[in-house]
């Protein structure tokens, strides 16, 4: 092997100088991580959904049995309903309130940066820890909201925020909206700041009312960013786990179980990895729909800018 | 980065009357700020309330505290495993952030500037990877973590957190690299610099703001992570803060609200302090991910 030392550096050099070789080399660390811990688990998750794997016992292929079982399981369908309800209501509220807040912040305000910094706080603090604060605020006996309402004479006994199915649903939605408004507001604010004020002024000179200026000038220009922001928001709301796990763990009587929490409950404490994976896989079609929506939002943006 | 308009910010608002401005702007804004901040106030005030005032709303105003106490904090720091959880969270967040930054810098540079064959598709795949939520990955990942034999160790978290950090950081850094003029690299190439030299001596120094953004954002995301830590860690001494506070401080039916809220407050402080120093970087990384 006399030419080994000579050929080695040249091979190295060839890779380092070719665009594709170097590109491959540079992509390697990220690719290894994502293939091992993202792509492979994604495939494994789909496979596990077709098996009866339990914790500590390798499973066998059982075809669609998990899905047939889930199809007959009213708790699963309740969780699908809860997830859709939770996602729809929370996203609509986050969008409405977030856009309103963004429009407020886009005005000429003193200490604007200070407000922006404060408003982002709920998003920075770990969700589990702020959810604990909400747990305390929603306490069945010592809730501060109940106390205030009783003091003002609006109700006669404390509200059982997390103990009654419908109040529990609305309570977790309130906490989720609280957590999600900052992201929507700050992202939309960034979008609003790219809209030239002169367009609004031109519309105003032509006699447009503030409402017309909002619907005919601001909103159309903001649509592409709204599409992306809301896709993210919907995606993260749909797959939410932490908030529910802290506040209710899916209770009372499964009224707040989302697909993510049900999948956790069946798979980890329940030990039925296969069934849990099947529930997680059942979330994928919804997520794909959200991603496609985002894709077309981006396409439209390109078309508007007239690029490419 | 889209540019911010610089034309007259006052715009049409000078025609608004003072009263109208109060009802249209200040009142709603005050409500928003109050609602968004109240849970933190409630968390902080509960953390320092002596136990006898905690639920006694009849004799003590719940919104204020007489004779604040540090007893809950003391209990937390000296009689529970809280300092250990703080340490674990720190180690996991710092390690996974550095791993992710390392991998992302190379990946983003390769996709954005080397333009190898399939770079565009790789960029799209990275974006899609960002959209895969942890709640559908944790079951198979738990399976893998168990088989590899790193279950219930910090390593399990350090290795799995980059799955959501790398796509995000790469996507963000791609935007930053795109904003660096190509001419700078070309002139360095003409002067005989290698790709490695260009990356370390030209591109990285210019991308420092992007690196800071991605770094603190990744740190915050890993500090806040919950579902993986809940699933992969079982022993008390390996838990992270969110999991430890929730699973170890909540016992039975009698909730120790003082200790719980102190735990939540102390656990939030590191990211809040980091945030207060780098607000603009947070905003740019949050909006950067959406605008690119």
């Amino acid at each position: 092997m006399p030419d080994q030392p000579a050929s080695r550096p040249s091979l190295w050099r060839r890779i380092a100088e070719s665009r594709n070789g170097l590109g491959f080399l540079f992509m390697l660390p990220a690719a290894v991580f994502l293939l091992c811990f993202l792509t492979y688990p994604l495939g494994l998750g789909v496979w596990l959904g077709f098996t009866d794997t339990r914790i500590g016992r390798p499973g066998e292929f059982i075809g669609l049995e998990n899905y047939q079982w889930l199809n007959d399981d009213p708790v699963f369908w309740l969780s699908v309903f809860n997830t859709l309800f939770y996602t729809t209501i929370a996203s609509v509220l986050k969008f409405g309130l977030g856009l309103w807040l963004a429009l407020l912040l886009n005005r000429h305000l003193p200490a604007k940066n200070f407000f922006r910094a404060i408003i982002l706080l709920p998003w920075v603090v770990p969700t589990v820890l702020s959810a604990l604060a909400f747990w305390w605020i929603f306490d069945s006996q010592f809730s501060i909201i109940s106390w205030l309402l009783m003091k003002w004479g609006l109700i006669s006994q404390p509200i059982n925020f997390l103990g009654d199915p419908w109040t529990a649903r609305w309570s977790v939605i309130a906490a989720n909206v609280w957590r999600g408004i900052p992201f929507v507001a700050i992202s939309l604010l960034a979008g609003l700041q790219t809209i030239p004020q002169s367009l609004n002024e031109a519309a105003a000179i032509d006699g447009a009312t503030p409402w017309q200026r909002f619907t005919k000038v601001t909103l159309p220009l903001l649509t592409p960013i709204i599409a992306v922001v809301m896709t993210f928001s919907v995606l993260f709301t749909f797959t939410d786990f932490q908030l529910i796990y802290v506040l209710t763990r899916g209770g009372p009587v499964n009224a707040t179980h989302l697909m993510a929490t049900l999948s956790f409950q069946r798979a980890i404490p329940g030990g039925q990895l296969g069934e849990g994976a099947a529930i997680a896989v059942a979330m994928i079609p919804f997520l794909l729909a959200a991603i496609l929506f985002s894709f077309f939002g981006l396409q439209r943006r390109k078309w508007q800018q007239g690029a490419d | 980065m889209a540019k911010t308009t610089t034309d007259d910010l006052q715009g049409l608002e000078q025609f608004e009357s003072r009263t109208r401005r109060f009802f249209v702007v200040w009142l709603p804004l005050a409500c928003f700020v109050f609602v968004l901040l109240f849970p933190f106030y409630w968390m902080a005030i509960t953390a320092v309330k002596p136990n006898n005032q905690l639920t006694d709303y009849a004799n003590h105003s719940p919104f204020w505290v007489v004779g604040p106490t540090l007893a809950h904090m003391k209990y937390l720091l000296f009689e529970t495993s809280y300092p250990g959880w703080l340490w674990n969270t720190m180690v996991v967040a710092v390690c996974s952030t550095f791993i992710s930054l390392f991998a992302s810098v190379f990946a983003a540079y390769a996709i954005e500037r080397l333009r190898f064959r399939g770079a565009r598709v790789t960029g799209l795949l990275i974006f899609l990877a960002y959209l895969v939520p942890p709640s559908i990955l944790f079951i198979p990942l738990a399976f893998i973590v168990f088989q590899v034999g790193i279950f219930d160790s910090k390593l399990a978290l350090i290795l799995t957190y980059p799955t959501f950090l790398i796509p995000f950081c790469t996507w963000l850094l791609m935007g930053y690299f795109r904003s660096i003029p190509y001419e700078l690299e070309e002139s360095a190439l003409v002067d005989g610099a290698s790709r490695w030299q260009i990356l370390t001596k030209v591109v990285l120094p210019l991308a420092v703001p992007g690196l800071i953004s991605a770094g603190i954002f990744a740190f915050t995301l890993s500090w806040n992570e919950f579902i993986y830590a809940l699933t992969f860690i079982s022993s008390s001494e390996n838990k992270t803060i969110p999991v430890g506070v929730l699973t170890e401080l909540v016992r039975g039916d009698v909730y120790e609200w003082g200790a719980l809220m102190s735990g939540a407050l102390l656990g939030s402080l590191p990211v809040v302090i980091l945030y207060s120093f780098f607000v603009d970087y947070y905003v740019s990384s949050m909006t950067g991910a959406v605008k690119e």
Side-chain angles (χ1 to χ4, degrees):
Chain A
M1 332 223 289
D3 56 35
Q4 184 82 343
S7 75
R8 241 224 193 120
S10 82
L11 178 69
W12 174 254
R13 189 144 269 242
R14 272 216 307 282
I15 289 178
E17 275 171 4
S18 91
R19 187 163 282 257
N20 289 330
L22 199 61
F24 174 77
L25 217 64
F26 275 20
M27 283 305 299
L28 205 58
V32 166
F33 255 104
L34 294 182
L35 287 176
C36 289
F37 293 111
L38 198 120
T39 316
Y40 171 58
L42 205 57
L44 183 66
V46 175
W47 164 252
L48 282 176
F50 292 117
T51 67
D52 58 354
T53 313
R54 287 158 188 253
I55 286 181
R57 182 173 73 79
E60 278 171 28
F61 182 80
I62 54 165
L64 289 171
E65 218 166 282
N66 279 328
Y67 294 96
Q68 279 161 355
W69 167 256
L70 286 176
N71 192 25
D72 298 335
D73 181 3
V75 175
F76 171 72
W77 287 109
L78 184 64
S79 82
V80 174
F81 164 77
N82 289 335
T83 314
L84 291 175
F85 180 77
Y86 180 77
T87 312
T88 317
I89 305 284
S91 302
V92 168
L93 287 176
K94 274 189 272 196
F95 171 65
L97 294 170
L99 183 60
W100 187 13
L101 185 56
L103 288 168
L104 288 175
L105 287 174
N106 194 37
R107 283 164 173 261
H108 182 69
L109 296 174
K112 193 167 170 172
N113 285 342
F114 173 73
F115 280 115
R116 200 179 60 175
I118 279 191
I119 277 162
L120 211 45
L121 260 186
W123 186 84
V124 171
V125 168
T127 311
V128 170
L129 304 182
S130 54
L132 279 171
F134 269 95
W135 199 27
W136 175 212
I137 290 175
F138 289 150
D139 189 81
S140 58
Q141 284 174 45
F142 302 109
S143 163
I144 188 68
I145 302 176
S146 297
W147 181 79
L148 261 187
L149 292 177
M150 285 205 297
K151 207 174 168 222
W152 291 339
L154 293 174
I155 51 171
S156 54
Q157 57 186 19
I159 302 172
N160 193 3
F161 283 104
L162 301 173
D164 174 75
W166 279 100
T167 50
R169 282 186 187 127
W170 287 108
S171 302
V172 290
I173 286 174
N176 181 278
V177 170
W178 176 86
R179 170 75 173 50
I181 283 180
F183 171 74
V184 177
I186 299 296
S187 310
L188 291 184
L189 177 64
L192 281 174
Q193 282 172 342
T194 62
I195 298 175
Q197 193 74 32
S198 42
L199 289 178
N200 263 312
E201 284 166 15
I205 289 168
D206 288 346
T209 61
W211 177 250
Q212 282 174 326
R213 290 207 305 266
F214 174 67
T215 52
K216 309 270 175 188
V217 179
T218 311
L219 218 47
L221 286 169
L222 205 59
T223 309
I225 290 195
I226 291 177
V228 183
V229 171
M230 288 322 290
T231 311
F232 274 91
S233 180
V234 166
L235 213 66
F236 292 134
T237 315
F238 193 89
T239 58
D240 195 11
F241 171 83
Q242 316 189 3
L243 205 63
I244 302 289
Y245 189 79
V246 175
L247 285 176
T248 63
R249 305 232 167 150
V253 283
N254 302 318
T256 57
H257 245 318
L258 301 186
M259 288 163 89
T261 50
L262 188 68
S263 136
F264 177 85
Q265 205 209 0
R266 295 267 163 95
I268 307 300
Q272 307 274 6
L273 284 178
E275 200 185 326
I279 298 174
V281 169
M283 290 161 75
I284 293 178
F286 296 99
L287 299 178
L288 280 180
I291 291 169
L292 282 179
F293 182 71
S294 153
F295 182 73
F296 288 113
L298 286 166
Q299 286 292 312
R300 179 159 172 208
R301 180 168 173 226
K302 258 189 190 157
W303 165 76
Q304 276 185 336
Q305 289 173 337
D308 291 314
Chain B
M1 296 281 111
K3 67 179 195 314
T4 303
T5 50
T6 47
D7 54 6
D8 188 13
L9 279 171
Q10 202 111 34
L12 300 163
E13 289 165 23
Q14 48 192 315
F15 302 118
E16 272 179 348
S17 73
R18 223 166 238 281
T19 5
R20 189 184 144 76
R21 199 167 156 76
F22 174 78
F23 282 108
V24 173
V25 183
W26 290 110
L27 194 65
L29 195 59
C31 291
F32 269 115
V33 170
F34 175 78
V35 171
L36 290 178
L37 291 190
F38 180 74
F40 298 121
Y41 174 74
W42 195 232
M43 189 196 275
I45 201 93
T46 308
V48 293
K49 260 187 199 175
N51 270 331
N52 63 339
Q53 294 180 30
L54 211 54
T55 52
D56 186 3
Y57 293 166
N59 298 317
H60 301 274
S61 165
F63 293 107
W64 199 240
V65 53
V66 185
T69 171
L70 287 178
H72 302 306
M73 304 261 181
K74 226 184 238 165
Y75 165 77
L76 208 59
L77 291 177
F78 297 108
E79 285 168 56
T80 65
S81 327
Y82 197 84
W85 303 333
L86 208 60
W87 172 247
N88 292 340
T89 319
M90 194 65 93
V91 169
V92 169
V94 168
C95 291
S96 49
T97 300
F98 273 102
I99 292 177
S100 311
L101 272 187
F102 175 79
S104 305
V105 163
F106 287 113
Y109 184 76
I111 293 171
E112 200 51 52
R113 280 300 153 85
L114 291 179
R115 287 264 156 224
F116 58 92
R117 208 185 312 140
R120 195 176 273 267
V121 178
T122 316
L124 190 68
L125 286 178
I126 293 271
F127 181 68
L128 287 182
Y130 182 42
L131 296 178
V132 177
S135 13
I136 63 174
L137 283 183
F138 73 94
I139 295 173
L141 269 179
F143 193 76
I144 295 170
V145 159
F146 207 83
Q147 293 211 316
V148 175
I150 50 174
F151 188 77
D152 196 16
S153 72
K154 287 197 262 300
L155 196 62
L157 301 183
I158 293 172
L159 288 180
T160 49
Y161 284 5
T163 55
F164 56 89
L165 299 180
I166 289 177
F168 172 78
C169 292
T170 310
W171 191 247
L172 195 71
L173 287 172
M174 276 164 64
Y176 265 89
F177 288 162
R178 211 175 304 149
S179 70
I180 296 169
Y182 204 75
E183 289 78 9
L184 285 173
E185 282 185 56
E186 278 172 340
S187 48
L189 265 179
V190 170
D191 288 346
S194 68
R195 278 288 176 184
W196 175 254
Q197 282 172 319
I198 292 176
L199 180 61
T200 53
K201 302 237 165 93
V202 179
V203 175
L204 280 187
L206 287 169
V208 165
L211 288 175
I212 296 178
S213 283
I216 54 176
F217 212 84
F219 180 85
T220 311
L221 286 181
S222 20
W223 190 277
N224 298 1
E225 208 287 330
F226 180 64
I227 190 166
Y228 289 166
L230 179 70
T231 313
F232 305 156
I233 302 292
S234 64
S235 59
S236 175
E237 71 261 24
N238 283 327
K239 282 181 176 165
T240 61
I241 293 225
V243 180
V245 170
L246 190 67
T247 56
E248 308 263 323
L249 293 185
V250 179
R251 297 190 210 92
D253 288 337
V254 184
Y255 304 124
E256 299 167 63
W257 289 114
L260 262 178
M261 290 299 114
S262 313
L265 192 67
L266 280 185
S268 313
L269 272 185
V271 276
V272 170
I273 291 169
L274 191 71
Y275 168 71
S276 66
F277 282 111
F278 296 101
V279 178
D280 290 330
Y281 290 98
Y282 268 91
V283 173
S284 79
S285 51
M286 172 183 259
T287 54
V290 175
K291 282 200 300 187
E292 289 314 325

